[in-house]
Amino acid sequence: MRYGSTLAEYAIRRLTLWSVAAGRTGPGKAGGEDERPGETFARLYDEFMPKVFRYIRFRVNDERVTEDLTSAVFEKGLVNFSRYNADRAAFSTWIFTITRNVVIDHYRTAGRKRNVPLDEAAELPSKDPSTEEAAEKSAERERLRMCIESLSREEQEIIRLKFAGEFNNREIAKILGLSESNVGTKLFRAVRKMRDKFQESWDA
Amino acid sequence: MPDKRNVEEEFPRDVERLLAGERGKRGEGKDADYESVVAFAGRLVEYRIQPSPAFQEVLKKRLLSRLAEQEAQVERRDERTSVWQRIAGLVPGNPAWRAAAVTVAVAIVLAVVFWQTTPRTAKDTGQAGIMSTPAPSVAPAPAAPGLKAAAGPSVEVRESAANTPFGLGQPVVVQFSFTNVTPGVLGLPFPPPLNVVSAKGETVRSFPQGLDTRTLGSGESVTYTLAWDQRDDKGKSVPPGDYSVQLGSTRLQDGGGFRVVQPVTITITP
């Protein structure tokens, strides 16, 4: 197949080719040769955008910044799709590599190191009728946030990739360079640590 | 307490069930500690933050629109490439035939050039006559800012700016409309070079000419929006005062110049 002279053209052609291989990464939906690039991208976006958003939200304590970084991730994904090789990495792994780099760049630029994984009181997603209930949820979120921060960096990342990114253990192992069984053990221990810490804060 | 190997395998599966929205389905034979950890994992799932549907939709539309633009660009390039391929296909593969085809093509080009440059009488053409000498070339515009001193305007320029005066630090947005006022087709360097000039006549910021060329038919217009961050060429903020955006020196294909029929003055206030 001929390739255009620009990266944009190459990206479009690869996106078309990738639609054939898309079934390897998307659950239950096989891409076909007839799927247009726009349809492929829309499907990938629908599947991965909430995961990317949640992952970033775990790390960034600002809804607007989270939206900006999420936009940046998918814009980079669109531009760099020519470099994506489905034989080397699943799309989920690829897009999350971009996601993690975008967050790292954000902190490097902003000069902030703090990870605040959960929501604050002003941004409760639910439609709580009472202020008291909202305040309780906010307090609980704050305790959960502190529990996550008490973990090691590796444990925090495993928690984020599992609960926000919804990766399975094999994928997490590939991203972090661990064995699959190691991820399972660390995940259990991390959540148990968080439970204990949460209970301590509750008792206090 | 389940053995270590079970926990490594069972716990992630239980978490994945929680993520999939399943509740209350647990592996058999698990102790209270394990169940408590799984319940806590359920709490983490419950407190995840989801993107708003509005943001999700707006971003998706923007990305798909960009993708559609890129696809359209690819298709246009493909069409141009296929045209060249068809032309190349006309040239025979045999070297002797190829040489003959090139010779004939060169002969045709020379004949056309000769015909164009040969003087004719008014009786033949009904006109004052085709010039026998090439048209005089227009001298290039001077390097100083301002309108190009041209034989006549080929492009009319209209400028407009919203929100004048501008506060210090506020982005200055100026919209330009370039109209081809010649009877023929014109190639416009795009965007043309633009200079921000102070009231004293000093150029404080230069925006160089772009690499693109826009082809305008007679009467056709193209717009360009300039966004100036109120900084000079050295990156320093300019002082308050009046400024204008003028066209830099550039050469149009027909030797004509620009005529600003609707200039705008930018006032920056402290």
Side-chain angles (χ1 to χ4, degrees):
Chain A
M1 173 177 280
R2 289 178 297 111
Y3 293 107
S5 58
T6 65
L7 278 179
E9 294 170 13
Y10 191 61
I12 297 296
R13 295 187 204 279
R14 288 304 302 273
L15 197 55
T16 309
L17 281 175
W18 190 86
S19 65
V20 176
R24 280 187 255 165
T25 60
K29 292 183 184 178
E33 287 183 10
D34 294 334
E35 191 174 52
R36 292 176 54 80
E39 290 166 359
T40 305
F41 186 83
R43 183 164 52 77
L44 292 170
Y45 175 87
D46 288 340
E47 182 181 345
F48 290 100
M49 186 273 183
K51 299 179 183 182
V52 167
F53 182 93
R54 286 193 299 259
Y55 175 89
I56 295 174
R57 197 63 183 82
F58 259 66
R59 297 194 64 175
V60 174
N61 185 27
D62 189 292
E63 185 82 3
R64 186 160 292 186
V65 172
T66 301
E67 289 179 351
D68 289 346
L69 296 183
T70 305
S71 302
V73 166
F74 279 92
E75 280 163 7
K76 280 195 174 188
L78 194 64
V79 168
N80 291 318
F81 198 77
S82 58
R83 297 193 186 102
Y84 169 62
N85 186 342
D87 294 327
R88 289 171 60 189
F91 185 82
S92 55
T93 311
W94 183 75
I95 198 72
F96 265 84
T97 302
I98 295 176
T99 303
R100 295 168 86 210
N101 289 339
V102 163
V103 174
I104 289 169
D105 288 344
H106 164 72
Y107 277 116
R108 201 173 283 151
T109 307
R112 282 180 287 155
K113 305 291 180 203
R114 200 163 65 98
N115 291 338
V116 183
L118 291 175
D119 201 0
E120 292 186 348
E123 299 184 63
L124 286 172
S126 63
K127 303 178 182 99
D128 297 319
S130 72
T131 309
E132 194 177 321
E133 199 177 335
E136 275 179 24
K137 286 210 167 187
S138 170
E140 187 159 337
R141 281 199 174 87
E142 182 62 21
R143 277 197 294 278
L144 285 170
R145 181 186 70 77
M146 287 167 58
C147 293
I148 293 183
E149 286 198 343
S150 70
L151 302 174
S152 69
R153 280 196 181 179
E154 189 177 71
E155 287 170 334
Q156 287 184 37
E157 192 65 5
I158 290 174
I159 293 288
R160 284 190 287 257
L161 290 172
K162 175 61 80 177
F163 286 92
E166 297 186 359
F167 284 97
N168 60 36
N169 280 15
R170 186 183 306 171
E171 290 166 329
I172 295 176
K174 259 192 189 168
I175 292 171
L176 298 181
L178 301 169
S179 69
E180 201 174 329
S181 60
N182 208 356
V183 169
T185 307
K186 285 177 186 270
L187 177 67
F188 178 77
R189 285 182 189 162
V191 177
R192 189 166 59 180
K193 261 193 222 175
M194 287 181 62
R195 179 209 59 187
D196 295 342
K197 186 87 183 171
F198 188 86
Q199 194 61 42
E200 277 174 28
S201 68
W202 187 269
D203 294 340
Chain B
M1 173 74 174
D3 65 56
K4 182 174 173 263
R5 202 168 61 173
N6 281 351
V7 163
E8 281 168 14
E9 292 169 2
E10 288 293 328
F11 183 71
R13 275 192 225 133
D14 283 334
V15 171
E16 279 156 26
R17 286 192 199 107
L18 290 169
L19 290 169
E22 297 172 22
R23 291 284 185 269
K25 294 182 185 179
R26 304 280 189 266
E28 295 297 327
K30 300 297 185 296
D31 66 8
D33 179 60
Y34 180 86
E35 292 294 333
S36 159
V37 175
V38 172
F40 189 79
R43 209 190 276 255
L44 287 176
V45 172
E46 190 187 321
Y47 279 94
R48 297 184 307 169
I49 310 301
Q50 306 294 346
S52 73
F55 167 68
Q56 201 161 343
E57 202 50 41
V58 163
L59 178 58
K60 184 177 180 179
K61 278 187 183 156
R62 193 169 83 226
L63 293 167
L64 287 176
S65 169
R66 244 179 96 174
L67 187 61
E69 277 173 28
Q70 288 175 359
E71 280 188 286
Q73 276 182 359
V74 169
E75 281 176 20
R76 280 197 291 271
R77 280 213 176 86
D78 278 352
E79 282 174 14
R80 284 200 292 270
T81 307
S82 75
V83 164
W84 280 111
Q85 281 187 328
R86 280 202 286 269
I87 291 172
L90 296 174
V91 178
N94 185 306
W97 279 110
R98 192 176 290 180
V102 168
T103 305
V104 166
V106 168
I108 291 172
V109 167
L110 286 174
V112 167
V113 169
F114 181 73
W115 181 75
Q116 288 285 342
T117 54
T118 301
R120 301 205 183 158
T121 63
K123 189 182 168 188
D124 291 333
T125 63
Q127 299 174 13
I130 296 173
M131 290 181 287
S132 59
T133 56
S137 60
V138 177
L147 292 175
K148 179 174 172 326
S154 302
V155 175
E156 276 187 358
V157 184
R158 284 176 175 76
E159 303 173 12
S160 63
N163 299 328
T164 53
F166 293 87
L168 265 179
Q170 187 183 356
V172 174
V173 178
V174 182
Q175 188 137 27
F176 292 82
S177 170
F178 301 99
T179 305
N180 174 14
V181 295
T182 69
V185 174
L186 187 68
L188 175 71
F190 196 82
L194 297 166
N195 296 319
V196 178
V197 180
S198 70
K200 293 178 192 169
E202 295 163 342
T203 297
V204 298
R205 179 77 179 266
S206 297
F207 294 92
Q209 180 174 311
L211 300 175
D212 199 6
T213 301
R214 295 290 169 92
T215 304
L216 300 177
S218 179
E220 201 178 338
S221 299
V222 65
T223 58
Y224 175 68
T225 303
L226 175 73
W228 176 41
D229 57 5
Q230 294 192 24
R231 293 188 184 274
D232 61 17
D233 283 326
K234 292 177 184 160
K236 223 173 124 192
S237 294
V238 299
D242 288 343
Y243 297 84
S244 61
V245 184
Q246 300 178 8
L247 288 158
S249 56
T250 188
R251 198 183 187 99
L252 293 174
Q253 289 172 348
D254 66 345
F258 294 89
R259 181 174 69 195
V260 180
V261 298
Q262 185 181 300
V264 73
T265 300
I266 298 155
T267 302
I268 296 175
T269 55

